């Protein structure tokens, strides 16, 4: 009898503590994402200072952000490997790219990726709105079709979304840049026959809904110095 009582107490404690454990896990994932981004923003800034060149911090958008013509270019101009990369990194990854290399002649452009695509911790992503429109005062990423995405390759025919650092280490435009982070899930579509990722937008859900706005977690990059800090605005 005593054993049954003890087992019942253990089961009750497990049920009561499970939500708290899940909350701690989510909090840890966001803290890890914050630290990762702060470190890599500092790295981008240092690259710009060391090489005296512009450095782009590129962000991977959800597939449905691209216009149909851009999706067609991705399908016709890029290899299967790079197409799978575009699908795999939707709203969850970033990479650093330089516009010049040491020793380049003045005015010469030599695009090269300084890092591979780096994924945020599981359960953390960049809200899709950051690629399309202003939400709650957060402006969308800058974009250009003259910057190579997702790798250096054929003529650039799709938009690339980025934050750009100047050779002086600040941002290349007189405005702070805000990178919002959200918690939830990014579910990638797969081809049931092959198991490969299917050419379809990811199903992106914030959990709880709108947490990127209600309990916002932002990385703000000061345009003058290029240094970043965390901003949180929890609304009860």
């Amino acid at each position: 009898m005593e054993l049954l009582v003890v087992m019942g107490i253990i089961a009750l404690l497990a049920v009561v503590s499970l939500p708290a454990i899940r909350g701690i896990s989510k909090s840890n994932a966001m803290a890890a994402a914050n630290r990762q981004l702060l470190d890599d923003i500092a790295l981008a800034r240092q690259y710009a200072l060391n090489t005296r060149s512009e450095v782009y911090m590129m962000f991977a958008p959800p597939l449905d952000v691209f216009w149909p013509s851009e999706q067609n270019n991705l399908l016709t101009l890029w290899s299967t490997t790079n197409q799978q990369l575009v699908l795999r990194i939707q709203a969850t990854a970033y990479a650093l790219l330089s516009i010049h290399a040491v020793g380049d002649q003045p005015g010469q452009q030599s695009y090269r990726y300084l890092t591979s695509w780096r994924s945020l911790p599981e359960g953390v992503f960049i809200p899709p709105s950051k690629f399309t429109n202003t939400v709650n005062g957060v402006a969308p990423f800058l974009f250009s079709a003259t910057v190579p995405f997702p790798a250096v390759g054929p003529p650039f025919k799709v938009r690339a979304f980025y934050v750009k650092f100047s050779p002086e280490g600040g941002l290349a435009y007189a405005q702070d840049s805000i990178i919002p982070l959200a918690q939830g899930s990014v579910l990638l579509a797969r081809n049931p026959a092959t198991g490969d990722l299917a050419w379809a937008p990811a199903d992106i859900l914030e959990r709880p809904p709108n947490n990127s706005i209600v309990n916002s977690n932002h990385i703000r990059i000061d345009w003058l110095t290029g240094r970043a800090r965390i901003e949180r605005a929890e609304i009860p």
Side-chain angles (χ1 to χ4, degrees):
M1 177 63 73
E2 290 83 358
L3 180 59
L4 292 176
V5 172
V6 171
M7 292 177 63
I9 293 173
I10 292 174
L12 179 61
L13 290 174
V15 171
V16 171
S17 62
L18 187 58
I21 293 172
R22 288 176 175 171
I24 291 172
S25 177
K26 289 181 179 179
S27 177
N28 288 343
M30 184 62 78
N34 284 333
R35 175 47 53 193
Q36 180 179 323
L37 276 172
L38 290 176
D39 288 347
D40 284 332
I41 289 168
L43 180 62
R45 178 178 180 273
Q46 197 60 48
Y47 269 131
L49 285 168
N50 290 347
T51 61
R52 304 298 298 170
S53 66
E54 293 180 335
V55 171
Y56 292 78
M57 192 168 193
M58 310 275 286
F59 292 87
L63 185 61
D64 54 2
V65 166
F66 290 116
W67 300 317
S69 60
E70 292 179 310
Q71 293 196 40
N72 182 66
N73 287 333
L74 287 168
L75 285 169
T76 57
L77 296 176
W78 288 104
S79 66
T80 300
T81 299
N82 279 320
Q83 290 167 11
Q84 290 284 297
L85 174 63
V86 170
L87 296 172
R88 188 171 65 253
I89 61 179
Q90 293 179 75
T92 61
Y94 58 89
L96 304 185
L97 175 141
S98 176
I99 196 172
H100 296 295
V102 176
D104 285 347
Q105 295 298 318
Q108 179 183 354
Q109 292 185 339
S110 178
Y111 290 108
R112 66 190 181 102
Y113 274 84
L114 301 170
T115 67
S116 59
W117 285 93
R118 297 178 175 176
S119 296
L120 293 168
E122 186 176 355
V124 180
F125 57 89
I126 297 171
S129 60
K130 178 60 182 176
F131 298 91
T132 56
N133 56 286
T134 298
V135 173
N136 202 32
V138 177
F141 285 121
L142 295 180
F143 63 85
S144 172
T146 62
V147 179
F149 173 86
V152 176
F156 316 137
K157 299 293 186 180
V158 299
R159 285 168 296 157
F161 298 83
Y162 56 79
V163 172
K164 183 165 65 171
F165 291 82
S166 72
E168 294 73 35
L171 297 184
Y173 34 87
Q175 182 177 348
D176 289 359
S177 184
I178 298 174
I179 304 171
L181 295 176
Q183 291 183 313
S185 59
V186 178
L187 304 178
L188 304 177
R190 291 191 176 273
N191 184 326
T194 64
D196 290 339
L197 296 177
W199 195 258
D203 187 10
I204 302 175
L205 299 173
E206 291 192 21
R207 294 176 177 165
N210 299 318
N211 67 77
S212 62
I213 298 174
V214 176
N215 292 313
S216 62
N217 185 111
H218 295 166
I219 304 293
R220 178 183 289 270
I221 306 174
D222 182 88
W223 75 268
L224 186 59
T225 66
R227 300 184 186 279
R229 67 181 186 272
I230 302 168
E231 292 184 337
R232 295 187 180 92
E234 296 190 2
I235 302 174

